[in-house]
Amino acid sequence: MIEFSRAIGSSGLTPPQEIEPGKFHRFPGIGKRNGNTAGWCKLFPDGQGGVYGDYSIGLSESWQVEREQPITKEERAAFLRQVEESRLQAEDQRQQELQAAAVRAKEILAGATGDPAGHRYARIKKVSLGSLVRRGAWEQNGWADALLAPMYDEHGQVVSVQAIDTGGSKRFLAGGQKKGCFHPLGKFRGTKGRVLIGEGLATVAAAVSATGLPGVVAFDAGNLLPVAEVVRKLAPDAEIIFLADNDFEEGTDQNPGVEAVSRAVSVVGGLVAIPDLGGRKCDWWDVWSEQGPEAVRTAIEKAADWSKNESTPFAREERQGRPHCEPAPLPLPELPAVEPFMPELLPDNLAPWVKDIAERMQCPMDFVAVGAMVNLAAVIGRKVGIRPKDKDNWTEVPNLWGLIVARPGELKTPALEATSGPLKKLEAEALVRFDQDARMAAAASVAAKLRFEAQEKEARKLLIEDVSADVMDLLIKEEINEPVLRRYKTNDTTAASLGELMRQNPNGLLVFRDEIVSLLRVLDREDNADQRGLFLEAWGGNSSYTLDRIGRGLHLHIEACCVSLLGGTQPAKLAGYINQALAGGPTDDGLIQRFGLLVWPDTKAEWKNIDRYPDTQAKNRAYEVFDRLDKLNPSDIGAEQDTDFDGNPAGIPYLRFNQPALVLFNEWRAELEKKLRAEELHPALESHFAKYRKLVPALALIIHLADGGTGPVSEGATLKALAWAEYLGSHAKRCYSAVTQKDVQAAKAIKRRIKKGDLATPFSIRDVWRPGWAGLDRDAAIGGISLLVDYGHLSTEVLADTGGRPATRYHPAEAAG
C-alpha cells in the first residue's frame, strides 16, 4: 500500500491514509479544499497494482508493483483487464455523481423563491442578470442569501449551479459538471447572427444589456474554450464575439483573460473585444459601470477579427501557410507586478531626506523608506499607542518589522545603514549621559560607603553605652541605583540578553540584522524555541514575558516586550525559507508574516553617476523628527491614559482617529475582513494580510507624529497609511510567490534543463527529480511538468506496452506536431 500511496502522491494528489484493497476510495483532487472528492483510487485485491486519478482535471493513471522478474503476457493481460474494469467503475461513479448533482441543482433552484433583483450583488452591479437567475439559500457554504445561476449542458439540461454570495464570492455545486457548461442570457441556438461569450455573469449581462445580443456565460477563463466549442456546435453559422477580461500583469506580457480568449479563437474562430479603462485591469461590467452602455456597445461593435492577426498568442499556424501543429505555448507567468514607491507615502518631514539618499545612492527608494520608517518606529516604541476604534480599548503599539528583498549588489545594506544615522546620534548622546551618570553614581557609592562606616561607629558607641539601644536604622545601607544605558539598537542577541535589554529599555528597541533569513533559521531550531517565542511576543509590543534562567535568576520578568526588526535578504533565500517555513509544523506560526514592511521592488535598468553633497537641510529636518519623538511627552500631544482602581495611570498613553480618519479606517477594514474571510487567498497571504490590522493604524500614528500632529490621528496621515497598505500588498504577493507560484519556478527550472540538454527527449517525471537538481524535488517536478503541459510547452505520450506499468513521457512543444 505504501508504494501505491507514493505513486498517487507523485501525481500531486494526497492519497487517503488507509487504502483498503479492492475498495474504491474518494479524496480531494489536486489543489482542492477539504470536502472535495475529485480524487479517486483503487488498489487491486492482490495488492500488486491499482489505478488512480482526478476527475476535475481528467487524470487517470495506473500503477503496478515493481519486481525483479518480468511479468508474463498472461499477468500483463490480467493487469490490463483490472485497469479497464476499475476505470469503468470510476467513470460509472463519476456519472452517478454528476447525475446526483444535476438532481440536487434542480432541487436547489426549485426552492429558490427570493427576488434576485433585491440581492446585494445585483444591487451593486445595477444591471439585469437575466430571467434564469434565482435567489435562495446555499447550504453548501452556509450562505443564507445567494444568487443562483443554473448551469446548462449542450442538451439544454440543468446540470449544476454557481452561487454568488452578497460579498461577490462565487462557488460551484460540489460534484457538479463545469466543463462545457454555460449560463445563457437570451436565445442563441441556431442563430446566424452574433453571440457574446464571456467569463462572469455580470460581465456578460452588461454586454447583453448594452448591445441587445444574446450572451453565454462560461464562468471562468479555463471554461471559455469548452463552452465556445459547444456554442459553435449549437450555432454553427453564428459570429462569436469573445468578451475578454483585461487581466494584464503590469510589467509583464501576461494577460490570462486575453490569452484564454486567444486559445478559444484559435479553435472556433470569432471576434475579440478587449475592454480598456486607461491601462487598468477591467472587464466589460467595469466599462458599463464607469462609461455607460453606449461605450460598451460602440467598443463591441469594433471587435477585432483575430483570424487575420498573426501577432495574437494563438494565431493558427496554417494561416501562415504551414501545416497545423499545436497552438503556440503560452508564456509562463512572471513574478507578480508591484507598485512603485512614491515619496508621498512618507511623512512630509522625512520625504526629502529619503529621496536625497536614494538618488545619491541610485538605489530603489523603497529600501531607504522602509529603513527610515522602522528606525522611527523603534524610537517611538511604547511612548504612545493608537486605539483604532472610537470606544473600544483595542490598542496597537507602533513598532514595525521591515524586510527588503533584493539580489546581491543592489545596495540594500548601504541603504539601510544610511537611515541609521539618527539612531546612531541618539545612541552617542545616550552614551555621554550614561558616562556622566556612571561617574556620579560611582561618587555617590563612595559617599554612601563613608556614611555607612560613620553610622557603624555611631552604632558601636551607642551599644557600649547601652547594650539594648536600638541601632537598626544606623545599620541600613544606602542603596545607590546603578545607571542604565539607554539602548536604541542591537544586532545579535540570545533570548536572555534580548530579554534583559527589553527589561532595561521598556520603550523597546530595534534589532537590526543584515541578513534576516539567517536570524529566522536560528529561531527555527528547537533549542531556540524560547528566543522565537520572545520575538513573536515582541512583535505585538504590548505583552509581558518571563524568562527563567539558572545563573541569571529564575524570574526575569519583562513587563512589555517591544521590538522593531529590520534587515534584508536575497530572493532565493526568502523563497527557500518561505517554502520550508510554510510547509506546516512548529515554524508555521506566522513569524515570517509579521514583516509588514516587506518589499521586493523592481530595480531600474539605467544608472547615472550622482555626485553631490547631501541635502543638509533635509537631513537636519529628518534628524529633528527623531530627536523630538525621542523626547516625546505623551501629554503634550493630547494622549489619554487609562487608570487603575486607585486612580493611578495604567497602560500606555494612546491617541484615536479623528472622525474623518475613523470613517476611512472602518471602510478599509471592512474590505480587509471580507477579503480574509472569502477563502480566496493562499493561507500564507491570508495570515500576512491579517496582520495589517496592526500595521495600518501603526503607520497612521507614526506619520501623524512625524509631521508634528497632536490630538487625534488625522485624515491625511490615515490616507497615507492606507496607501502604504495598497503598496505593500502588491509586494507581499510577489514575495509569497515562493508558495503561490512555486510550480512556475519549477517549470522554468525544467525548461532551463531542457535547453542545456540535461533532459533527453522524451523524459519522465522521475528523470526530472532523480538527479537532485536544486529546486526540483519530486513535488516540484510534478507541479512544474503539469504547468508546462497546461501552458503548451510540453506534450504527453503514454507508453502502454512497456513490459510493466503504462508510463507517461514528455516532449518539448517544439518536437510535437
Side-chain angles (χ1 to χ4, degrees):
M1 189 192 81
I2 295 177
E3 289 81 2
F4 185 46
S5 294
R6 287 174 179 169
I8 297 173
S10 69
S11 293
L13 290 162
T14 303
Q17 292 185 351
E18 298 293 334
I19 301 178
E20 181 182 341
K23 183 179 179 180
F24 197 82
H25 294 270
R26 298 294 295 277
F27 50 91
I30 295 175
K32 301 299 183 181
R33 296 184 178 90
N34 291 335
N36 173 277
T37 56
W40 57 270
C41 71
K42 180 180 179 182
L43 179 64
F44 298 156
D46 59 7
Q48 299 299 298
V51 292
Y52 60 90
D54 184 341
Y55 293 131
S56 64
I57 61 174
L59 175 69
S60 179
E61 297 283 352
S62 62
W63 167 83
Q64 190 172 20
V65 68
E66 294 184 3
R67 61 188 201 181
E68 295 181 0
Q69 297 180 348
I71 62 174
T72 65
K73 291 184 178 180
E74 291 75 15
E75 290 172 328
R76 178 66 177 166
F79 171 72
L80 292 177
R81 281 197 300 273
Q82 289 188 89
V83 169
E84 184 61 24
E85 290 171 0
S86 299
R87 283 178 171 162
L88 289 174
Q89 180 185 4
E91 180 58 29
D92 182 59
Q93 284 213 12
R94 178 58 177 158
Q95 290 303 318
Q96 291 180 28
E97 187 177 78
L98 291 174
Q99 291 172 11
V103 171
R104 178 65 183 140
K106 293 171 184 175
E107 292 174 347
I108 291 172
L109 293 169
T113 58
D115 175 22
H119 190 270
R120 182 173 182 270
Y121 182 81
R123 295 200 310 271
I124 291 173
K125 294 302 181 180
K126 298 179 182 179
V127 64
S128 172
L129 300 178
S131 60
L132 300 176
V133 173
R134 299 288 181 262
R135 181 183 179 186
W138 182 252
E139 296 178 358
Q140 179 175 304
N141 291 89
W143 297 345
D145 186 18
L147 284 181
L148 305 170
M151 300 171 66
Y152 294 83
D153 65 10
E154 64 178 274
H155 305 294
Q157 298 297 311
V158 173
V159 295
S160 191
V161 177
Q162 184 190 56
I164 305 176
D165 189 17
T166 54
S169 296
K170 300 174 182 178
R171 297 289 186 271
F172 294 102
L173 181 62
Q177 183 178 341
K178 184 177 75 171
K179 185 177 181 179
C181 295
F182 58 89
H183 180 86
L185 291 170
K187 297 180 179 180
F188 69 90
R189 293 171 184 259
T191 183
K192 295 184 179 181
R194 290 183 158 187
V195 178
L196 307 174
I197 301 179
E199 294 183 34
L201 177 63
T203 294
V204 179
V208 168
S209 175
T211 63
L213 298 173
V216 178
V217 181
F219 298 105
D220 60 37
N223 202 32
L224 275 172
L225 174 55
V227 167
E229 290 177 320
V230 170
V231 171
R232 177 59 72 212
K233 181 178 180 180
L234 298 178
D237 298 324
E239 183 177 48
I240 296 175
I241 299 179
F242 288 96
L243 306 171
D245 280 8
N246 199 346
D247 299 327
F248 72 93
E249 297 292 343
E250 189 172 347
T252 74
D253 59 355
Q254 307 303 302
N255 195 321
V258 174
E259 289 160 1
V261 163
S262 181
R263 183 183 291 272
V265 170
S266 71
V267 176
V268 303
L271 307 180
V272 178
I274 304 176
D276 183 11
L277 286 178
R280 290 188 284 122
K281 290 184 179 182
C282 61
D283 58 31
W284 285 103
W285 180 84
D286 295 318
V287 178
W288 185 90
S289 175
E290 294 186 24
Q291 298 183 354
E294 184 61 25
V296 174
R297 184 186 64 78
T298 302
I300 291 177
E301 286 180 350
K302 298 177 181 179
D305 182 358
W306 279 14
S307 64
K308 299 176 182 178
N309 186 353
E310 296 299 338
S311 67
T312 57
F314 286 96
R316 288 193 169 193
E317 293 191 15
E318 63 262 35
R319 291 180 185 135
Q320 295 177 322
R322 297 192 298 273
H324 175 65
C325 191
E326 292 298 318
L330 277 169
L332 291 172
E334 298 295 333
L335 281 174
V338 294
E339 291 190 16
F341 187 83
M342 304 300 290
E344 290 78 13
L345 294 176
L346 290 163
D348 294 342
N349 285 331
L350 296 188
W353 175 57
V354 169
K355 186 177 180 182
D356 177 58
I357 293 173
E359 287 180 352
R360 286 186 292 106
M361 294 185 67
Q362 286 291 283
C363 72
M365 196 182 304
D366 318 58
F367 295 175
V368 188
V370 168
M373 294 297 286
V374 176
N375 276 285
L376 188 56
V379 171
I380 299 171
R382 292 175 43 78
K383 288 185 177 68
V384 61
I386 181 168
R387 291 193 171 176
K389 291 185 176 180
D390 192 33
K391 300 177 179 63
D392 196 87
N393 62 357
W394 164 32
T395 308
E396 293 293 356
V397 176
N399 60 314
L400 298 175
W401 284 21
L403 173 57
I404 61 176
V405 184
R407 294 190 302 273
E410 293 188 352
L411 301 175
K412 57 182 181 294
T413 300
L416 293 180
E417 289 287 354
T419 62
S420 66
L423 252 62
K424 291 179 179 178
K425 177 176 179 291
L426 293 174
E427 286 182 312
E429 293 171 350
L431 187 58
V432 171
R433 290 194 301 270
F434 175 77
D435 288 341
Q436 294 172 346
D437 293 342
R439 288 194 295 271
M440 294 296 294
S445 180
V446 172
K449 181 180 178 181
L450 294 174
R451 281 193 293 270
F452 183 71
E453 290 173 352
Q455 290 170 195
E456 280 186 310
K457 289 180 181 180
E458 180 66 20
R460 288 192 186 98
K461 181 179 177 181
L462 291 174
L463 289 172
I464 290 173
E465 296 174 355
D466 181 1
V467 70
S468 62
D470 184 3
V471 295
M472 291 297 294
D473 289 344
L474 293 173
L475 297 178
I476 298 175
K477 287 186 176 181
E478 181 182 354
E479 294 290 335
I480 302 298
N481 292 326
E482 293 294 329
V484 175
L485 175 62
R486 168 71 166 99
R487 295 291 300 275
Y488 292 87
K489 184 175 72 171
T490 184
N491 296 96
D492 190 11
T493 64
T494 63
S497 60
L498 180 60
E500 180 63 20
L501 282 172
M502 286 193 290
R503 191 176 70 83
Q504 295 179 357
N505 296 271
N507 192 63
L509 72 161
L510 172 71
V511 175
F512 176 76
R513 288 293 291 264
D514 182 41
E515 175 46 67
I516 283 287
V517 168
S518 65
L519 170 63
L520 299 182
R521 293 199 183 280
V522 169
L523 297 179
D524 287 348
R525 299 203 316 253
E526 288 187 18
D527 58 335
N528 283 328
D530 51 359
Q531 190 175 7
R532 185 183 187 89
L534 190 58
F535 269 99
L536 289 170
E537 292 293 342
W539 171 81
N542 216 12
S543 299
S544 62
Y545 199 85
T546 301
L547 284 167
D548 293 317
R549 284 289 183 275
I550 300 296
R552 286 182 175 266
L554 290 178
H555 190 74
L556 178 60
H557 181 71
I558 309 163
E559 185 175 345
C561 303
C562 183
V563 160
S564 291
L565 185 55
L566 177 63
T569 193
Q570 299 172 23
K573 290 184 177 181
L574 178 67
Y577 181 81
I578 287 179
N579 272 317
Q580 177 183 335
L582 302 182
T587 60
D588 190 5
D589 55 9
L591 180 63
I592 186 66
Q593 286 97 333
R594 280 166 166 74
F595 286 90
L597 269 61
L598 175 62
V599 300
W600 183 355
D602 296 320
T603 54
K604 295 180 180 179
E606 70 276 4
W607 176 88
K608 56 183 177 180
N609 184 34
I610 304 293
D611 186 7
R612 68 170 187 242
Y613 290 109
D615 186 337
T616 303
Q617 184 177 357
K619 176 183 174 181
N620 291 341
R621 182 179 174 187
Y623 275 47
E624 188 277 330
V625 171
F626 282 79
D627 289 337
R628 172 168 51 83
L629 295 181
D630 182 52
K631 300 177 178 66
L632 178 68
N633 184 343
S635 62
D636 292 343
I637 60 169
E640 302 178 61
Q641 192 170 14
D642 295 334
T643 56
D644 60 19
F645 291 111
D646 298 323
N648 299 315
I652 66 173
Y654 62 87
L655 297 177
R656 297 187 188 270
F657 290 114
N658 68 20
Q659 280 304 308
L662 182 64
V663 170
L664 289 172
F665 176 75
N666 286 340
E667 290 177 350
W668 169 83
R669 190 180 173 204
E671 290 300 317
L672 173 69
E673 299 296 343
K674 185 191 302 182
K675 180 167 65 174
L676 295 177
R677 288 162 171 75
E679 297 184 357
E680 295 174 353
L681 292 171
H682 187 281
L685 271 174
E686 187 176 284
S687 174
H688 183 90
F689 288 142
K691 292 168 179 58
Y692 280 21
R693 297 178 181 120
K694 167 188 168 77
L695 177 65
V696 167
L699 286 169
L701 176 60
I702 292 169
I703 294 167
H704 178 70
L705 296 177
D707 282 338
T710 59
V713 175
S714 68
E715 181 181 11
T718 305
L719 283 170
K720 287 191 175 187
L722 297 178
W724 267 97
E726 186 173 352
Y727 156 78
L728 291 168
S730 70
H731 286 257
K733 291 176 182 178
R734 169 175 287 188
C735 292
Y736 285 96
S737 65
V739 290
T740 60
Q741 287 192 320
K742 58 185 178 182
D743 289 348
V744 176
Q745 309 308 319
K748 292 181 178 180
I750 293 170
K751 288 200 70 176
R752 287 194 296 270
R753 292 293 172 182
I754 294 172
K755 187 175 181 179
K756 290 173 63 178
D758 295 337
L759 278 172
T761 302
F763 58 87
S764 66
I765 291 177
R766 182 186 180 90
D767 294 331
V768 174
W769 63 261
R770 191 171 185 181
W773 293 318
L776 288 176
D777 57 17
R778 183 193 293 266
D779 291 341
I782 293 168
I785 286 177
S786 176
L787 189 70
L788 289 171
V789 171
D790 290 344
Y791 276 66
H793 293 261
L794 294 178
S795 61
T796 58
E797 175 186 5
V798 178
L799 307 178
D801 189 14
T802 61
R805 59 182 181 182
T808 303
R809 297 290 182 265
Y810 301 91
H811 299 260
E814 295 79 10

